[in-house]
Amino acid sequence: MLAQQRQSAILDRVRATGGVRVSELATEYGVSDMTIRRDLEALADRGLLAKVHGGATTVSPGSAYEPGFAAKSVRQRGEKTAIAMRAAALVSPGDAIALSAGTTTAELAQRLVDVPSLTVVTNSIPVADVFYRGGRPDQTVVLTGGTRTPSDALVGPVAVAAIASLHLDLLFLGVHGMSERAGYTTPNLMEADTDRALVEASERLVVLADHTKWGTVGISSIVPLERADVLITDSGLDEDARALLSETVPELVVVNPQ
């Protein structure tokens, strides 16, 4: 096998599995460890993978990288379902609520279509579509205007202006990441402004974030961790993170994946 063919196969493996080991590749391709290391170095020099001790992994996306809604919707499905079910229990008939953009908030929307007399403000096209297709006639759905992002959020000055005069009972906020230093974050600068407007318009803030969001930092902070009244996450969150969040957030809710 030529070096170029081997490197192409190695790259396919990394993309499929997330990581490879030098020793395993050397055995599989019948070459020396040094040959595999040179292959990995060549791929790393082109920015196609990241070398680590004993192997290589996929390249970590930058803090401004924003995957599309469809790509995110297939991740952590069980966790998102459990989080959405718990969040739905916080909503009562007649509430005026906001749902930010995100796949977890879209999952929550599916569980709110039968709540009577609900008023929903959202900057998410998929969330609005859930209510338009399956909601009740006595529900009111307000979709903000704005500039559309890869995750199907409407953001920017138009969205902020639409939100500014509202007074809402609850905001369910989906986030790209959360960390002790950066708080709740997003990879989109204008989305951070829009999310902060939703926070300011709402009496209570409920953040919905599965365990994979911990340690992920987007380019722009929305609000600090302690600003949330409730954080709903799942049991995949490690013990150190749970301990820190328990001391920081007024109410930490941990659910088991469905």
Side-chain angles (χ1 to χ4, degrees):
M1 179 181 286
L2 298 175
Q4 185 175 3
Q5 294 174 313
R6 189 174 56 248
Q7 289 170 16
S8 178
I10 290 171
L11 184 59
D12 287 343
R13 177 77 64 82
V14 171
R15 287 171 172 168
T17 65
V20 292
R21 293 183 177 275
V22 169
S23 57
E24 293 174 356
L25 293 175
T27 300
E28 181 174 344
Y29 294 114
V31 297
S32 68
D33 285 5
M34 183 59 69
T35 296
I36 294 298
R37 289 193 182 95
R38 283 197 291 264
D39 288 335
L40 297 181
E41 180 124 14
L43 293 167
D45 287 344
R46 293 160 58 192
L48 299 175
L49 52 72
K51 285 187 67 182
V52 296
H53 181 69
T57 66
T58 53
V59 178
S60 297
S63 60
Y65 172 70
E66 184 174 5
F69 183 89
K72 291 191 291 185
S73 65
V74 298
R75 301 174 184 174
Q76 284 72 52
R77 294 292 298 273
E79 289 87 344
K80 291 174 182 177
T81 298
I83 290 169
M85 290 177 64
R86 181 63 181 85
L90 301 177
V91 179
S92 301
D95 279 350
I97 67 172
L99 272 68
S100 78
T103 52
T104 310
T105 51
E107 190 73 26
L108 171 58
Q110 299 278 1
R111 285 152 180 80
L112 298 179
V113 292
D114 293 324
V115 179
S117 304
L118 195 64
T119 296
V120 180
V121 175
T122 185
N123 68 319
S124 167
I125 296 170
V127 166
D129 193 55
V130 168
F131 287 101
Y132 289 145
R133 292 176 183 274
R136 295 168 53 101
D138 60 357
Q139 291 177 335
T140 300
V141 179
V142 179
L143 178 62
T144 71
T147 303
R148 188 172 182 170
T149 73
S151 59
D152 288 342
L154 297 175
V155 302
V158 172
V160 170
I163 296 163
S165 63
L166 302 177
H167 304 281
L168 305 166
D169 299 311
L170 277 170
L171 164 61
F172 294 97
L173 179 69
V175 297
H176 174 76
M178 55 180 175
S179 76
E180 181 179 10
R181 174 182 63 85
Y184 306 107
T185 63
T186 171
N188 187 295
L189 292 169
M190 288 198 295
E191 186 161 12
D193 289 337
T194 306
D195 285 343
R196 280 192 291 271
L198 287 169
V199 171
E200 291 303 315
S202 303
E203 185 70 23
R204 297 184 72 211
L205 169 59
V206 181
V207 175
L208 312 180
D210 69 71
H211 72 276
T212 64
K213 306 298 177 67
W214 181 251
T216 298
V217 178
I219 193 172
S220 185
S221 295
I222 304 167
V223 290
L225 294 178
E226 61 269 20
R227 180 63 178 79
D229 297 290
V230 183
L231 169 59
I232 306 178
T233 186
D234 67 87
S235 56
L237 190 69
D238 67 59
E239 291 300 326
D240 289 342
R242 288 196 206 189
L244 186 149
L245 289 167
S246 294
E247 295 176 355
T248 307
V249 180
E251 184 177 356
L252 175 66
V253 179
V254 179
V255 298
N256 293 316
Q258 295 294 299

